Amino acid sequence: MTDGNDYVIVRVLNHNVVWVKEPAGSEIVLLGKGIGFRQKAGNTISLSDPRIEKKFRLEDETHAKKYRNLMNHIDQAVIGISEEIIALISQELKAEINEHIHVALPEHIQFAMDRLRNGLEITNPFLFLIKVLYSKEFSLAKKAAELISRAFDIVIPESEMGFLALHIHSAISNYPVSKTVQLTSVIYEIVDKIEKEMAVEIQKGSMEYIRLIMHLRFVLERIRQQKTIQHPFLDHIKTDLHHEFRIAKGIGELISERLNVSVIEDELGYIAMHLYRLNELKGGHVERSEQDVEKMVEE
């Protein structure tokens, strides 16, 4: 029996997560070690229960409706483990999290588990890129995979960890997963184009590879956010690194076509500089040293 000042349990999602109704009538989720153990719908939890570590409510009514609908077609335990993962993300990244993840993550986990149980693992062609571009998110995805594995006795392969990392990145960047996948795909295409046009194989994991894809990520993010930069030595680059600038223009055209955006020449200038460094590393035709280029742009 409640005195009107307790939470009333609507559903127990797992031992550590419960969905409750507040005294005022609104619904929230409570997280805390053991808070759902031996509980059932209709039981009460004190507002001051020391086990409560975290609570959240969906402010967006559209998300709230979708979340309530999840309860009817997704395993409650999947929703529970998703909330534990979201709490882990919030705690470790200290970032504001887009509340849509409360809907998107359990849907993804349920879908992934159904596939894996039926032997349908999906290849993740961007796995290495994801590990480099979103290293913090991937580290968290590994921890999330461990939680899922323990809760459901299922092995989560690295390919799935990569997809989880994309969901985590989406939640902290307020950028849809589909768009993040698109940007990652574009970087993948650009690297492939560079290797073909410069007749070079860039070793994954090498410092040159990491520098290149991180630079491309920042280029695409600036373009996406419509931020502009200036290259003070653009004219020098266009004249003295004409081979690299020509390839950079092709990369700009690829970006424009895939993302339906305009790429300014200043960005192409910086891309050309990175291409020059790659050319030097492979013993390319350009005879100037990197120090010469730095000296040139300082003139």
Side-chain angles (χ1 to χ4, degrees):
M1 183 133 183
T2 176
D3 61 6
N5 291 311
D6 295 330
Y7 296 114
V8 179
I9 296 175
V10 178
R11 295 197 189 188
V12 177
L13 302 180
N14 64 24
H15 286 175
N16 304 315
V17 186
V18 291
W19 184 25
V20 302
K21 184 171 287 188
E22 294 180 297
S26 57
E27 295 171 345
I28 65 171
V29 171
L30 303 179
L31 295 93
K33 192 170 181 62
I35 200 166
F37 184 62
R38 291 184 176 176
Q39 293 280 22
K40 63 181 180 179
N43 286 4
T44 61
I45 297 175
S46 170
L47 300 182
S48 58
D49 191 311
R51 294 173 299 175
I52 299 173
E53 298 173 9
K54 194 173 182 62
K55 59 182 88 169
F56 89 88
R57 77 178 75 248
L58 290 173
E59 303 294 347
D60 185 294
E61 185 54 33
T62 300
H63 291 157
K65 286 181 179 179
K66 288 181 178 179
Y67 192 80
R68 286 191 288 269
N69 188 47
L70 281 180
M71 302 290 178
N72 299 319
H73 72 270
I74 284 185
D75 186 344
Q76 311 272 302
V78 170
I79 299 174
I81 204 70
S82 297
E83 294 304 336
E84 292 190 56
I85 292 169
I86 293 167
L88 177 68
I89 295 167
S90 177
Q91 176 183 337
E92 296 214 5
L93 295 185
K94 310 295 183 187
E96 288 293 323
I97 296 179
N98 188 310
E99 65 178 36
H100 179 62
I101 195 174
H102 293 282
V103 175
L105 187 59
E107 285 185 328
H108 174 76
I109 292 174
Q110 183 72 70
F111 180 60
M113 286 173 49
D114 289 345
R115 282 191 289 96
L116 292 171
R117 284 169 174 163
N118 286 286
L120 300 173
E121 179 182 346
I122 295 178
T123 301
N124 188 337
F126 311 127
L127 181 59
F128 193 86
L129 277 177
I130 291 169
K131 287 182 178 181
V132 175
L133 293 171
Y134 314 115
S135 58
K136 290 181 180 179
E137 292 90 333
F138 188 79
S139 177
L140 272 173
K142 290 176 68 175
K143 294 181 180 180
E146 291 170 5
L147 289 174
I148 297 168
S149 295
R150 285 200 299 268
F152 301 101
D153 191 26
I154 188 171
V155 176
I156 306 297
E158 274 203 327
S159 58
E160 293 294 345
M161 295 179 199
F163 293 128
L164 284 170
L166 292 178
H167 276 276
I168 294 171
H169 177 73
S170 173
I172 63 176
S173 66
N174 288 310
Y175 198 55
V177 172
S178 60
K179 295 294 185 181
T180 301
V181 171
Q182 184 183 39
L183 290 182
T184 307
S185 175
V186 170
I187 292 174
Y188 185 88
E189 282 192 75
I190 292 172
V191 173
D192 183 61
K193 182 179 179 67
I194 290 171
E195 288 184 322
K196 287 177 179 176
E197 297 212 16
M198 297 185 66
V200 61
E201 182 179 351
I202 309 169
Q203 294 297 318
K204 289 183 178 180
S206 67
M207 187 58 67
E208 293 75 31
Y209 182 88
I210 292 171
R211 283 174 178 167
L212 175 62
I213 64 174
M214 290 304 293
H215 174 71
L216 293 173
R217 174 188 174 179
F218 294 137
V219 168
L220 295 181
E221 287 186 350
R222 282 194 297 269
I223 292 171
R224 175 177 69 84
Q225 296 168 10
Q226 297 184 323
K227 292 181 178 179
T228 59
I229 60 171
Q230 288 188 324
H231 197 309
F233 311 107
L234 180 61
D235 290 339
H236 288 287
I237 297 294
K238 292 168 71 173
T239 301
D240 297 334
L241 300 182
H242 55 88
H243 173 68
E244 290 83 358
F245 191 78
R246 179 186 61 78
I247 298 175
K249 284 181 68 176
I251 291 170
E253 290 167 4
L254 188 156
I255 294 171
S256 296
E257 181 181 328
R258 295 290 183 272
L259 303 181
N260 193 29
V261 295
S262 297
V263 183
I264 61 175
E265 283 197 329
D266 298 83
E267 289 286 10
L268 301 182
Y270 285 109
I271 293 174
M273 287 288 293
H274 276 267
L275 298 183
Y276 171 78
R277 293 188 180 103
L278 286 175
N279 218 354
E280 283 293 301
L281 288 167
K282 80 178 183 72
H285 70 282
V286 182
E287 297 179 355
R288 294 178 300 272
S289 68
E290 187 170 331
Q291 288 76 22
D292 290 335
V293 174
E294 291 174 353
K295 187 175 181 180
M296 174 192 73
V297 299
E298 288 171 1
E299 291 176 353

